[in-house]
Amino acid sequence: MFDRLPFLIGLRYVRAKRRNHFISFISLTSMLGLMLGVAVLILVLSVMNGFDHELRTRVLGMVPHTKIEAPGGLTDWQPLAERLIERERVIGAAPYVEQQGMFSVGGRNEGAMVIGIEPEWEGRVSIIDENMSNGSLDDLTPGEWNIVLGSILARRLGVGVGDRVTLLVPEASITPAGVFPRLKRFTVSGIFSVGADLDASLAYAHIDDMQTLARLGDAVGGLRLELDDLFAAGSETRAIIDELGSGFRGLDWTYSHGNLFQAIQMEKRMIALLLTVIIAVAAFNIVSTLVMVVTDKRADIAILRTIGATPRSIMGIFIVQGLAIGVIGILVGVTLGVLLAWTVSDLIGWVESTLGIHFLDAGVYFISNLPSRLIWSDVGNIVSAAFVLTFLSTLYPAWRAARVQPAEVLRYE
């Protein structure tokens, strides 16, 4: 009987009506605090995961996971590409030529990176073909001098499909009339939009045209590689360079965009830490609840001790009571948090349409809706942390209950 005693009495204390309503109020406050803390933490981390996923999909869908280059360019790139694709982590390879330049149209000037691509190969390493809002990559034919612009870049230049733009590159051409900047007229054959800052700083042309403009001959600037795990880019790049030898160099995505994702991860950790403090405050409210319950139940504790209950059993009663309060709050919080994480995008959309306001301006944040991505491992970590904090909160009041002396209590009853 005494083995089941802590469990039975602890749950009865949770259900019992109290003469002291303040104790019930503190108990309810503790439960609601845990519920809200857990729910908000799940919701915020899901939104942070959503932003992280959107950026990773949109930005790193356009930026190569790693690039392999050689001084003077690669002249025989196809055998090397086929060799690299045979590696376990490499799932795609494509040649490229990069050229920094400035577009000029009617007095408007915008700087951008122009990438020469092979349209048939580009789909292996980029999502640009899936994000063409006008035109197609197939319109990039050698010798036609067509170009595909990002949507923001095209808007700033005031051009559309069929318009002509002038590209100035930072290299000089020496002519009998003097030294002039190298420039070339392109026809806009397409516009892409990935919903990221790359829409304002990127353009694509056929690789043959860019080889001519950069005076590379048959050489390409390098190979862009797509990996099955973008977080393995650093180690895979080093392994490839070790295999190819000292005549090559590799640059992975962390050199150009690593700071962005590190900032997101840091913000996620800091927000999780701050919201965990809220859960901790709610959990430690259980201390106040149980201390008052122990004071209120001193006579009951004394009677249980006189009929044979051990201090360990008395501790168990109040640990069970505290855990029951915490578990109810955690379970309700998890249910609420998961439901909000699944529906927050629709809820925000409904509020925006109802009130006629926009929380996220696509022109500023490069995203027009609030993304949310629920990761169950985050939910598990939150539940574990909340449960541990709740358990720790029960130890001191339970220890005080176990130290109650029956003789002293019953003397005044």
Side-chain angles (χ1 to χ4, degrees):
M1 180 184 70
F2 287 110
D3 291 338
R4 300 172 54 196
L5 186 68
F7 185 76
L8 296 175
I9 297 180
L11 293 181
R12 175 168 180 161
Y13 280 173
V14 174
R15 300 192 304 268
K17 293 183 178 180
R18 308 186 190 283
R19 292 168 297 180
N20 188 341
H21 296 290
F22 185 68
I23 298 178
S24 299
F25 174 76
I26 295 297
S27 178
L28 180 62
T29 301
S30 303
M31 192 180 300
L32 291 176
L34 276 171
M35 179 193 73
L36 291 176
V38 169
V40 170
L41 186 52
I42 291 174
L43 174 61
V44 171
L45 290 186
S46 297
V47 172
M48 293 294 293
N49 291 330
F51 274 106
D52 179 72
H53 181 262
E54 288 292 321
L55 283 172
R56 189 180 304 170
T57 302
R58 298 185 183 199
V59 176
L60 292 183
M62 301 289 288
V63 175
H65 291 176
T66 188
K67 297 190 294 186
I68 304 300
E69 300 175 345
L74 300 175
T75 54
D76 194 14
W77 61 268
Q78 288 185 331
L80 178 60
E82 294 172 358
R83 174 183 172 185
L84 293 177
I85 291 175
E86 293 177 356
R87 295 183 63 88
E88 181 179 357
R89 288 201 173 276
V90 179
I91 59 177
Y96 72 92
V97 173
E98 286 184 348
Q99 180 70 64
Q100 188 73 40
M102 177 180 291
F103 289 101
S104 179
V105 180
R108 298 181 180 180
N109 300 303
E110 292 290 338
M113 176 68 73
V114 184
I115 302 179
I117 61 171
E118 183 65 57
E120 296 179 358
W121 289 66
E122 188 63 17
R124 307 179 185 183
V125 298
S126 172
I127 62 171
I128 180 176
D129 200 26
E130 305 168 8
N131 292 272
M132 295 292 296
S133 55
N134 287 291
S136 170
L137 287 184
D138 294 334
D139 296 329
L140 298 178
T141 54
E144 295 292 332
W145 297 96
N146 290 334
I147 197 165
V148 173
L149 302 179
S151 57
I152 298 176
L153 179 60
R155 186 171 66 247
R156 290 176 179 174
L157 292 172
V159 297
V161 174
D163 294 331
R164 294 178 65 82
V165 296
T166 301
L167 175 64
L168 291 83
V169 298
E171 295 182 11
S173 298
I174 301 176
T175 68
V179 179
F180 294 93
R182 193 183 310 169
L183 52 86
K184 184 63 183 179
R185 296 275 284 177
F186 284 86
T187 300
V188 179
S189 62
I191 295 175
F192 69 87
S193 177
V194 293
D197 58 349
L198 298 176
D199 291 343
S201 60
L202 209 57
Y204 289 90
H206 196 278
I207 193 169
D208 290 354
D209 295 340
M210 294 307 298
Q211 284 174 321
T212 302
L213 185 62
R215 298 178 178 176
L216 291 176
D218 295 331
V220 299
L223 290 176
R224 308 167 73 195
L225 303 182
E226 179 88 0
L227 307 180
D228 61 351
D229 182 5
L230 63 92
F231 292 107
S235 58
E236 183 66 13
T237 301
R238 289 190 293 271
I240 291 174
I241 296 304
D242 290 341
E243 178 183 326
L244 296 180
S246 58
F248 296 85
R249 69 169 184 168
L251 296 173
D252 61 81
W253 66 271
T254 59
Y255 284 92
S256 57
H257 291 80
N259 291 337
L260 174 63
F261 290 92
Q262 288 175 5
I264 292 175
Q265 292 300 320
M266 179 61 70
E267 290 175 3
K268 181 180 176 181
R269 294 189 189 100
M270 293 305 298
I271 290 175
L273 178 61
L274 293 175
L275 293 178
T276 301
V277 172
I278 297 176
I279 295 177
V281 171
F284 283 107
N285 280 338
I286 296 175
V287 175
S288 303
T289 301
L290 293 182
V291 166
M292 287 187 287
V293 171
V294 169
T295 303
D296 190 53
K297 300 293 184 181
R298 285 170 61 87
D300 294 359
I301 295 171
I303 294 172
L304 288 172
R305 289 294 307 277
T306 59
I307 63 175
T310 63
R312 183 176 179 180
S313 297
I314 300 300
M315 282 190 67
I317 291 171
F318 293 96
I319 289 175
V320 168
Q321 182 183 356
L323 287 179
I325 295 172
V327 167
I328 293 172
I330 292 170
L331 291 178
V332 176
V334 168
T335 303
L336 180 61
V338 169
L339 290 176
L340 287 174
W342 280 341
T343 60
V344 65
S345 298
D346 296 331
L347 287 175
I348 294 297
W350 177 79
V351 171
E352 288 180 339
S353 62
T354 302
L355 301 180
I357 60 176
H358 295 283
F359 294 105
L360 293 176
D361 185 355
V364 177
Y365 298 101
F366 302 105
I367 188 170
S368 59
N369 64 320
L370 189 68
S372 178
R373 185 167 182 258
L374 183 67
I375 298 179
W376 288 106
S377 60
D378 286 344
V379 177
N381 292 333
I382 293 169
V383 171
S384 299
F387 184 83
V388 169
L389 291 172
T390 301
F391 175 74
L392 294 176
S393 300
T394 65
L395 295 180
Y396 174 70
W399 176 77
R400 283 194 56 177
R403 288 175 57 86
V404 170
Q405 298 299 322
E408 295 182 4
V409 174
L410 295 177
R411 181 184 304 169
Y412 301 102
E413 292 292 329

